[in-house]
Amino acid sequence: SLAETVKGLQSEGGTARAGAAVVVDIKTGGVLTAANYPTYDSATLGENYTALSQNPDKPLTDRAFQGVYPIGSTIKPIVAIAAMDNGLYTTDEHIFCSKKYTLFGDYQPSCMGYHRSIGLTTALSKSCNYFFFELGRRVGAITLTDYYKQFGLGVKTGVEVDDASGIILEPKSNGVGGDTLQISIGQLNAFTPLQLANYAATLANGGNHYKASLINKIVSYDMSEVYEEKQPEKVNTISMSEANLKAVKEGMLSVTE
């Protein structure tokens, strides 16, 4: 499916040449799928290693666990949770998107659209940058960064093989600057597909952030004896009211509808 998606993008004139897909069990943190494209046949890795290592599409790279990418607007549900659970936004408030955010005289980033007065559901559905610039301003950079880490972004996932911790801005104050606005829409920071899947799983299960794991159980060579069954390991629980989480999930669902 991943290969077909990449090839489909290419057929439509896109420049995509590679990708990754991760599926996580929301109840355990178990990694059910971690796919990379392009990939290789491990049975012939030795004889094909030179060609694989010289391939510009880098099939030997584990993009799923070690590829670090800006995650863009997928950060916005966390920004909404941080604002609501700190009493800085309620779902009955509408924010007016005038396209250009004019808080600063020398730095005025723009939204992709001109959405006028919108609430949370529409802001997530339309991915309104202006709306989340404003929520990020209210929350502040240090608090936002703390929430990102609580959801497992910018920290190791705990998976049993080597994975990247990502790149996360470490703000020195909770004051508002251009960096605050940028991290509110998923810029400057960069994370792995595994971290992104685990964050989404944490939202989906109501705030339980589990270590990612590839191991379900350890058995004997002939699989007749179970030596150890791996138990889910909870890293932390993010405090989110049921109403606030419901509002965010509705906004995420509206993207697909």
Side-chain angles (χ1 to χ4, degrees):
S1 178
L2 176 60
E4 289 171 2
T5 298
V6 173
K7 292 172 183 176
L9 291 168
Q10 292 173 347
S11 70
E12 295 167 4
T15 58
R17 297 173 65 177
V22 179
V23 181
V24 173
D25 185 333
I26 68 169
K27 297 178 181 178
T28 66
V31 179
L32 305 178
T33 295
N36 289 282
Y37 179 84
T39 186
Y40 60 90
D41 184 347
S42 58
T44 57
L45 175 59
E47 60 194 83
N48 294 333
Y49 182 79
T50 300
L52 289 167
S53 64
Q54 294 174 355
N55 186 326
D57 294 337
K58 300 183 178 179
L60 296 176
T61 300
D62 183 1
R63 291 176 167 88
F65 287 4
Q66 297 175 336
V68 176
Y69 312 101
I71 67 170
S73 293
T74 55
I75 201 71
K76 290 173 180 175
I78 300 184
V79 180
I81 290 291
M84 290 190 290
D85 280 347
N86 284 280
L88 301 170
Y89 175 80
T90 59
T91 54
D92 58 0
E93 179 187 357
H94 279 53
I95 291 172
F96 191 88
C97 168
S98 57
K99 193 174 177 72
K100 183 175 286 189
Y101 194 76
T102 57
L103 178 67
F104 305 113
D106 59 344
Y107 176 65
Q108 298 185 350
S110 292
C111 185
M112 298 289 286
Y114 173 49
H115 301 114
R116 299 179 182 269
S117 180
I118 57 172
L120 178 61
T121 300
T122 305
L124 285 169
S125 178
K126 302 294 185 184
S127 195
C128 175
N129 285 347
Y130 190 106
F131 188 96
F132 288 95
F133 288 150
E134 176 58 20
L135 292 196
R137 179 194 69 79
R138 297 179 188 184
V139 174
I142 287 179
T143 304
L144 278 178
T145 301
D146 177 62
Y147 268 82
Y148 297 164
K149 289 179 178 179
Q150 287 187 58
F151 277 92
L153 300 176
V155 294
K156 292 273 190 174
T157 65
V159 75
E160 297 89 350
V161 296
D162 189 33
D163 67 328
S165 58
I167 299 167
I168 192 162
L169 184 74
E170 295 288 357
K172 294 180 172 56
S173 78
N174 225 12
V176 179
D179 286 355
T180 308
L181 304 187
Q182 287 300 304
I183 67 172
S184 301
I185 61 166
Q187 305 302 310
L188 303 182
N189 294 323
F191 308 116
T192 68
L194 175 60
Q195 288 174 320
L196 183 56
N198 211 18
Y199 138 50
T202 302
L203 263 183
N205 70 31
N208 295 312
H209 169 212
Y210 291 100
K211 280 187 177 181
S213 178
L214 286 165
I215 298 174
N216 177 264
K217 59 187 175 183
I218 300 171
V219 300
S220 59
Y221 184 77
D222 62 3
M223 302 188 74
S224 64
E225 187 177 354
V226 177
Y227 297 137
E228 179 185 346
E229 290 207 31
K230 188 73 178 283
Q231 298 301 315
E233 292 186 59
K234 190 185 296 183
V235 180
N236 58 283
T237 299
I238 296 98
S239 174
M240 296 183 283
S241 79
E242 190 173 330
N244 290 346
L245 182 58
K246 182 174 182 289
V248 168
K249 286 183 176 180
E250 287 176 351
M252 295 171 73
L253 179 62
S254 71
V255 175
T256 69
E257 295 180 338

